[in-house]
Amino acid sequence: MNTNNQYIKAQNLVQKKNYSKALIILETLFQKEKVNINYVTAIIYCLFQLKKYKKLVFYLNHYKNINPKDTQNYFNLGFCYQTLQEYKNAEICYFKIIELDNKNIQAYLNLGSMLRNIEKLKESVEIYNLAIKNGIKSNKIYTNLSSVYIDLKDYSNASDYALKALHIMPNDYLALNNLGVINTNLKNFDAADKKLQTALKIQNKDPLLYLNLGINYKNQNNDIDALKCFNTCINLNKNFSKAYLYKSLIHLSKSNFKEGWKNYEYRWHIQNKNILSKLPLWEPNQNFKSVLIWGEQGLGEQILFSSIIKDLEKEIQKLTMVVNHKLKEIFQISFPHHEVYAFDENWDSNSYDCQIPFGSLPYHFRNNDTDFSDRKAYLYTKEKFKLHTNKKFKCGISWKSVNSIESKSKSMKLSQFIEIFQLKDHIEFFNLQYTQETNEIHELEKRYNYQLQNIDDLDAFNDLKKLSEAIVDLDFIITISNTTAHLAAALGVPTYILLSKNVGNLWYWCNNLNNKNLWYSSAQIFQQEHQDQWKEPIQKIKLLIKDRFLVHE
């Protein structure tokens, strides 16, 4: 059969969607005539259909040598590199398109979006600004730039560029969506609702709008309407992982554990951190002999879920934990029969039968209130810090949270504790804050004539072992929702947690029974009655302290 007939046969196979057989013929023809554009483009088409991206890179680069000014080829090559997570090569491709045609909007959009997705936010801003500098006035550029500024929490610029997009295209529903998100993040919930509802009138089939409207409702504790939005989102897109995850957070906050844990597993579609996926996931009754348990999310969540280790011990012989390096020493002391590694140490995942992340343990062990019956302290120290005072009681104070989108809503000003500090004749208050808040401490001393006691040689941010040794020498702790709250409660020290009303109100603090937290028997929650208003919970803690500690003073 001559080459022409072979090529016709390959084309017929492509029409029948038999791409694998067509590819065999086409690659044979290519070996005979490597500069034949028809063969190369047909091979590229088949490989795209088969999603064989590594092989595609070879042929797209070969095509580039034949036709170095074909911008569509660079788009295809950039897409393949992105799919293969070779982001630098993808970036080179998109810059080549811009070099060939600096008015090519799609090149800026692709590159800017890619950089945003890999969290190179400042670089993403630079790309969109380059498009604007090169004379491009596009609502899509402005809307995308607005989205990056939202990620950067620069809501002023985010709003400005969303409005610029709407000036060009009044029906740009994604720009309206951004304005809704901005207002949600600024707690302007009514304004956010109006923007998102307006966007839905323009486009009612985009699940993103329902997701963000649901988040806006959730942040107002309107869980019924939030769930309706998340369900609509899922009906429009069965693979919209964030909607499942937000549903899980609502169910978990209501102690509807079975439903909550099922959807909680969708966090992996968002986090993309399943580093041990080659090992099978631990499940009960599978005759596994050894398991590797590894930390995920923040320090607080690793402490929270480590309460389930004692349950897992009943199911499997050998347990090994890999956790954040700050937790290694305290975990080694608390779980002396198990190996504990930090992530950056040498440990071999192939030495174990299976693996499970900490956050997947409750799916098996925490499905109703009775599963929390044994809630004793489970973290321990070998020593106490020996904090000296001539006062009868010692209390630790922590008032700031960092590194999360809810941090501002969870955090307080030190001056807002002044009513508590009025009990200073009987209680010495010690600084447990793990961030440097020197200005606030000095302001407290200057304005209120009260000096919060610092603990010498304590690095509360890095040395959780020493922080734990200080905590266990205290009579009680007052803290906002942060790592210190988890650590103190897990150590069994009475812990009074100041919790925001809506934003920053994390689900596990809502799991309460008889005024005690299900996860930590020593933790007691004092929640805002009105968002951002701390006066009422502070007053309640003060009354409790007087009743519990100072009734005879």
Side-chain angles (χ1 to χ4, degrees):
M1 187 183 295
N2 62 36
T3 55
N4 187 54
N5 289 337
Q6 285 181 308
Y7 180 61
I8 292 170
K9 182 180 179 181
Q11 285 181 311
N12 289 333
L13 288 168
V14 169
Q15 288 178 350
K16 294 176 182 178
K17 299 184 179 181
N18 194 338
Y19 304 114
S20 296
K21 286 188 177 180
L23 190 60
I24 294 170
I25 297 170
L26 290 166
E27 287 191 303
T28 302
L29 292 171
F30 171 78
Q31 291 301 323
K32 298 175 181 177
E33 195 178 348
K34 293 186 177 182
V35 294
N36 189 308
I37 290 289
N38 291 330
Y39 299 161
V40 178
T41 54
I43 289 170
I44 289 170
Y45 179 79
C46 289
L47 290 171
F48 261 118
Q49 299 304 315
L50 296 169
K51 297 181 179 180
K52 294 187 175 182
Y53 298 113
K54 284 187 178 180
K55 210 169 187 181
L56 258 169
V57 166
F58 169 80
Y59 284 101
L60 289 167
N61 274 313
H62 181 81
Y63 182 90
K64 180 183 69 175
N65 294 330
I66 299 171
N67 189 352
K69 293 187 178 182
D70 188 331
T71 56
Q72 185 57 51
N73 189 63
Y74 288 107
F75 274 118
N76 293 338
L77 192 52
F79 171 80
C80 289
Y81 281 130
Q82 273 187 255
T83 305
L84 296 168
Q85 298 182 1
E86 296 182 27
Y87 299 115
K88 191 62 184 176
N89 284 329
E91 188 175 339
I92 291 169
C93 291
Y94 294 129
F95 269 121
K96 184 62 179 179
I97 298 167
I98 293 168
E99 178 188 319
L100 293 168
D101 176 11
N102 69 1
K103 295 290 195 293
N104 193 310
I105 295 174
Q106 198 59 50
Y108 296 104
L109 292 172
N110 285 17
L111 180 53
S113 295
M114 182 191 77
L115 291 169
R116 181 191 175 201
N117 289 338
I118 61 174
E119 298 182 354
K120 290 188 174 182
L121 300 179
K122 291 183 179 178
E123 292 88 340
S124 180
V125 168
E126 289 172 2
I127 293 303
Y128 292 127
N129 281 329
L130 177 63
I132 295 167
K133 182 181 177 181
N134 286 338
I136 294 175
K137 292 183 179 181
S138 162
N139 63 298
K140 291 182 179 180
I141 294 290
Y142 290 139
T143 297
N144 281 21
L145 185 51
S146 169
S147 298
V148 182
Y149 277 122
I150 289 173
D151 293 346
L152 289 166
K153 299 182 178 63
D154 182 348
Y155 300 126
S156 177
N157 271 320
S159 181
D160 286 345
Y161 282 105
L163 291 171
K164 285 182 179 181
L166 289 167
H167 181 74
I168 296 172
M169 181 68 69
N171 284 344
D172 187 337
Y173 74 92
L174 290 176
L176 286 164
N177 169 76
N178 282 3
L179 291 174
V181 171
I182 292 163
N183 278 292
T184 295
N185 292 345
L186 294 173
K187 301 176 193 173
N188 300 325
F189 300 124
D190 289 342
D193 185 78
K194 289 177 182 177
K195 296 299 181 184
L196 292 166
Q197 295 288 3
T198 301
L200 281 167
K201 290 177 183 177
I202 298 167
Q203 172 55 269
N204 65 0
K205 299 297 183 184
D206 191 331
L208 179 66
L209 298 177
Y210 292 99
L211 177 78
N212 289 328
L213 185 59
I215 293 170
N216 193 55
Y217 286 136
K218 180 180 179 295
N219 285 345
Q220 299 173 77
N221 281 353
N222 183 352
D223 292 337
I224 293 174
D225 286 332
L227 285 171
K228 287 179 181 177
C229 286
F230 298 142
N231 285 331
T232 302
C233 183
I234 291 166
N235 288 337
L236 290 168
N237 183 351
K238 300 293 184 186
N239 299 315
F240 209 112
S241 302
K242 284 187 177 180
Y244 291 100
L245 183 58
Y246 274 106
K247 279 186 66 175
S248 82
L249 299 180
I250 290 176
H251 286 300
L252 291 175
S253 72
K254 303 294 184 186
S255 298
N256 183 3
F257 294 114
K258 285 187 178 180
E259 187 69 21
W261 296 133
K262 179 180 68 176
N263 288 326
Y264 196 60
E265 293 302 301
Y266 278 92
R267 70 195 186 279
W268 296 118
H269 299 271
I270 300 166
Q271 296 181 37
N272 194 27
K273 293 180 181 177
N274 199 351
I275 59 171
L276 303 173
S277 58
K278 291 182 180 179
L279 284 173
L281 190 66
W282 178 84
E283 290 184 2
N285 306 316
Q286 296 297 312
N287 295 318
F288 290 123
K289 302 298 182 184
S290 61
V291 60
L292 186 63
I293 314 157
W294 52 282
E296 49 159 320
Q297 304 178 63
L299 290 170
E301 284 77 15
Q302 290 181 53
I303 294 169
L304 179 85
F305 296 131
S306 68
S307 63
I308 306 176
I309 293 298
K310 63 181 181 297
D311 299 275
L312 188 59
E313 288 173 338
K314 300 172 185 177
E315 301 285 337
I316 196 163
Q317 295 176 3
K318 181 181 178 183
L319 280 70
T320 300
M321 286 171 268
V322 182
V323 297
N324 185 289
H325 68 280
K326 295 180 183 181
L327 292 171
K328 179 185 172 183
E329 284 189 279
I330 188 71
F331 272 38
Q332 285 177 322
I333 294 168
S334 302
F335 306 106
H337 303 299
H338 308 304
E339 291 182 326
V340 181
Y341 294 97
F343 275 98
D344 56 359
E345 292 182 321
N346 291 324
W347 47 274
D348 182 9
S349 65
N350 295 320
S351 302
Y352 308 92
D353 297 336
C354 58
Q355 56 90 11
I356 189 167
F358 272 100
S360 293
L361 288 171
Y363 177 85
H364 301 286
F365 296 104
R366 295 292 182 270
N367 285 296
N368 53 63
D369 291 353
T370 58
D371 289 340
F372 293 85
S373 57
D374 184 14
R375 295 182 296 144
K376 298 175 183 177
Y378 56 90
L379 294 187
Y380 306 98
T381 64
K382 290 182 177 178
E383 300 176 4
K384 286 188 178 181
F385 207 85
K386 305 296 183 186
L387 301 171
H388 298 289
T389 179
N390 58 4
K391 297 176 183 177
K392 188 169 184 179
F393 299 105
K394 293 177 283 188
C395 169
I397 299 289
S398 182
W399 64 97
K400 283 280 193 296
S401 173
V402 294
N403 295 333
S404 79
I405 58 175
E406 300 98 350
S407 292
K408 187 175 180 181
S409 296
K410 293 196 294 181
S411 297
M412 297 176 64
K413 294 179 181 178
L414 183 58
S415 60
Q416 291 175 303
F417 284 80
I418 194 62
E419 275 204 59
I420 302 289
F421 296 147
Q422 289 173 358
L423 304 174
K424 61 185 178 182
D425 290 344
H426 306 287
I427 303 170
E428 192 75 82
F429 294 97
F430 291 89
N431 176 17
L432 297 183
Q433 184 53 42
Y434 51 79
T435 54
Q436 292 297 320
E437 305 298 336
T438 306
N439 291 340
E440 283 199 70
I441 293 171
H442 288 167
E443 178 65 20
L444 182 73
E445 186 174 359
K446 180 180 178 181
R447 186 175 176 185
Y448 297 101
N449 194 31
Y450 180 74
Q451 185 174 7
L452 183 66
Q453 296 300 308
N454 287 315
I455 302 172
D456 294 336
D457 301 321
L458 175 63
D459 181 356
F461 184 77
N462 291 302
D463 193 344
L464 295 194
K465 175 177 173 289
K466 190 169 284 188
L467 175 60
S468 299
E469 292 168 355
I471 286 172
V472 295
D473 194 46
L474 296 164
D475 295 291
F476 59 98
I477 308 293
I478 306 173
T479 179
I480 54 94
S481 169
N482 60 12
T483 300
T484 304
H486 289 278
L487 190 61
L491 288 161
V493 176
T495 306
Y496 307 138
I497 300 171
L498 290 149
L499 192 65
S500 60
K501 179 175 174 59
N502 301 319
V503 182
N505 176 7
L506 299 179
W507 61 267
Y508 37 76
W509 300 128
C510 302
N511 301 150
N512 298 302
L513 184 66
N514 299 325
N515 206 31
K516 291 285 187 178
N517 185 257
L518 284 175
W519 293 92
Y520 303 113
S521 60
S522 62
Q524 195 165 342
I525 307 301
F526 296 84
Q527 190 172 9
Q528 293 173 347
E529 294 179 15
H530 307 283
Q531 186 68 37
D532 300 327
Q533 300 299 313
W534 293 106
K535 186 176 181 180
E536 294 90 348
I538 283 287
Q539 288 175 336
K540 288 180 180 179
I541 290 179
K542 183 180 180 182
L543 288 172
L544 181 140
I545 292 170
K546 292 173 76 172
D547 182 61
R548 188 168 294 178
F549 295 96
L550 307 178
V551 66
H552 299 300
E553 299 301 323

